[in-house]
Amino acid sequence: MPTNALILSGGGARASYQAGVLQAIADILPHMENPFPIICGTSAGAVNAASLAAHPAGFHQAAIDLAATWRSLEMEQVFKTGWISLMGGPVKVALSLFNDGIGRKKPLGLLDNSPLREFLSSVIPFHNIQSKIDAGLLEALSVTALGYNSGESVTFFQGQPELRGWRRYRRVGTPEVITVDHLMASSAIPTIFPAQSLKHEYFGDGAMRQMAPISPALHLGADRIFIIGVSGNRNPAHWGKRGRIPAKHSPSIAQIIGQMLNSAFIDALEGDIEHLERVNTLINLLGDERNEETAHLRPVDAMIISPSKELDKIAGRKIRKLPPPMRFFLRRTGATARGGGSAAASYLLFTHDYCNELMELGYQDAMWEREAIEKFFEGSS
């Protein structure tokens, strides 16, 4: 029987889209207790992954509770939004220039995300992860982060005892008990949120330098992968369109940061998906004519659900509903439709209005693919 893996990419508030897709899958497959024995997450996707893996009930209830958590989420539960906190981050960064660019008391970040630690600790029962592994209900959970000292993409995984770590170029897999520290490390967006210390090294957002986002699932034994992305760029109808729009002004700070975040959170995953599809095509063309150099290759079935609408445009409409300090912060940096930086805002809009719309979009997109989803899970336990 094939082993399915769920891959949840990063993307800050965009990860609410994943919750909508997962809720749709739960409704499409109401009697399937465990459709994803392997769950892999990066950045905000790691939070969703841990929430599913640690839930004491089956997948259906876990997806419902995850969606409920996103619906009730307040921005203040992710980072501090007061005037003092928002102004304090840039001030600390400026003061670090007199200390070799190093934070004096704690790692530097423009935003203070200390509320997120308390929130995650209260909603995710991490001790249940090992309980579900021991009961055979979970093969593995993985969380990926970037080591700032080593420059390596490190995948921390907790799973069945026979699973072994791996080492590839700039990619490492290591067995470890997953805690809130790993989620804080994996979701520490560079320059936005402070780095997290893990085992004598500081780690940041796992989407950075993650050259092969699909590989952890394959190393952990997956035969088929189900990917929930946070970009609609895979739709050929979108390719090249933005490049034809004349520039009205030079790029704002937020527009530059937005493209950097897109590069980290989106491009690597889409490139790895394209690589997987090419390898599958090659294996099918070779048929029985495979030699020693290609004998190790195996086809991996994959299904991808990604947004049918541009999340940047949705974010641009929601900025006006933010708290005044946060609205001021985003507008001054150009994180608006007019400033061209709504992509940057789309990662930070942890608001009811924005997250609920993304969840509804995810649910709708998955329901449109209902027949394909049912076919993908045929033969799964």
Side-chain angles (χ1 to χ4, degrees):
M1 188 173 295
T3 301
N4 301 327
L6 174 65
I7 297 179
L8 300 174
S9 61
R14 290 181 177 217
S16 55
Y17 174 85
Q18 299 170 352
V21 174
L22 292 168
Q23 189 172 17
I25 294 174
D27 290 343
I28 294 170
L29 309 169
H31 304 298
M32 185 169 287
E33 181 70 17
N34 184 26
F36 303 111
I38 299 172
I39 306 176
C40 305
T42 301
S43 191
V47 175
N48 288 340
S51 179
L52 293 176
H55 199 282
F59 172 77
H60 189 273
Q61 190 60 47
I64 292 175
D65 289 347
L66 176 61
T69 299
W70 274 102
R71 287 193 187 95
S72 62
L73 184 66
E74 302 280 355
M75 183 174 286
E76 291 76 11
Q77 293 173 304
V78 181
F79 54 85
K80 296 181 179 180
T81 60
W83 285 107
I84 295 177
S85 297
L86 290 179
M87 295 299 106
V91 169
K92 291 177 181 177
V93 171
L95 291 176
S96 71
L97 299 177
F98 300 96
N99 190 40
D100 297 328
I102 302 171
R104 292 184 180 276
K105 295 183 178 180
K106 60 181 182 179
L108 296 172
L110 293 175
L111 299 177
D112 182 354
N113 67 339
S114 56
L116 180 61
R117 172 182 292 276
E118 183 178 350
F119 176 71
L120 294 179
S121 299
S122 66
V123 298
I124 300 179
F126 290 92
H127 62 277
N128 282 338
I129 298 174
Q130 189 60 47
S131 298
K132 294 180 74 171
I133 292 172
D134 294 339
L137 300 175
L138 180 68
E139 289 290 324
L141 164 69
S142 77
V143 172
T144 300
L146 170 74
Y148 278 117
N149 294 349
S150 64
E152 293 180 326
S153 177
V154 181
T155 297
F156 302 98
F157 66 89
Q158 185 174 352
Q160 297 295 336
E162 63 270 16
L163 293 175
R164 296 291 180 266
W166 62 87
R167 176 171 286 279
R168 299 291 186 271
Y169 177 71
R170 295 291 184 186
R171 293 184 284 124
V172 178
T174 180
E176 197 161 312
V177 175
I178 302 299
T179 67
V180 68
D181 288 342
H182 296 87
L183 300 189
M184 295 297 292
S186 183
S187 59
I189 301 175
T191 71
I192 306 297
F193 296 141
Q196 172 68 45
S197 177
L198 289 172
K199 285 193 170 181
H200 312 296
E201 184 176 5
Y202 280 95
F203 286 83
D205 199 292
M208 297 187 297
R209 305 200 73 173
Q210 190 180 28
M211 297 177 289
I214 297 174
S215 66
L218 302 181
H219 282 294
L220 295 172
D223 301 299
R224 303 191 303 177
I225 55 176
F226 193 100
I227 303 169
I228 306 179
V230 293
S231 168
N233 292 341
R234 282 180 55 78
N235 185 346
H238 297 162
W239 295 351
K241 278 192 173 181
R242 293 195 173 192
R244 303 190 196 109
I245 302 175
K248 296 180 180 179
H249 50 73
S250 62
S252 64
I253 295 174
Q255 187 173 7
I256 295 172
I257 293 177
Q259 292 298 343
M260 292 172 60
L261 295 178
N262 286 342
S263 175
F265 289 116
I266 296 172
D267 294 353
L269 176 61
E270 293 181 347
D272 210 21
I273 292 171
E274 185 177 5
H275 176 72
L276 174 68
E277 292 171 343
R278 287 180 176 176
V279 172
N280 284 341
T281 301
L282 172 63
I283 294 174
N284 291 332
L285 290 174
L286 289 174
D288 298 329
E289 300 179 3
R290 297 165 67 180
N291 53 34
E292 293 182 359
E293 295 182 355
T294 59
H296 67 285
L297 298 177
R298 57 187 174 94
V300 177
D301 292 336
M303 182 167 184
I304 302 99
I305 301 289
S306 55
S308 57
K309 297 180 180 180
E310 293 187 48
L311 304 190
D312 298 4
K313 292 184 178 179
I314 298 176
R317 300 196 307 266
K318 308 296 182 181
I319 293 176
R320 66 181 184 275
K321 297 183 179 181
L322 288 172
M326 192 64 190
R327 189 166 64 245
F328 175 86
F329 179 80
L330 291 177
R331 284 181 172 174
R332 296 287 73 78
T333 58
T336 61
R338 180 176 178 273
S342 55
S346 70
Y347 293 97
L348 299 175
L349 284 173
F350 293 93
T351 62
H352 293 303
D353 198 31
Y354 178 65
C355 292
N356 285 342
E357 183 165 343
L358 263 57
M359 288 174 61
E360 292 173 3
L361 177 63
Y363 188 91
Q364 183 183 67
D365 287 346
M367 282 300 181
W368 282 343
E369 300 288 346
R370 180 175 189 136
E371 291 185 7
I373 291 174
E374 290 174 337
K375 185 177 180 180
F376 181 83
F377 286 100
E378 283 181 0
S380 299
S381 60

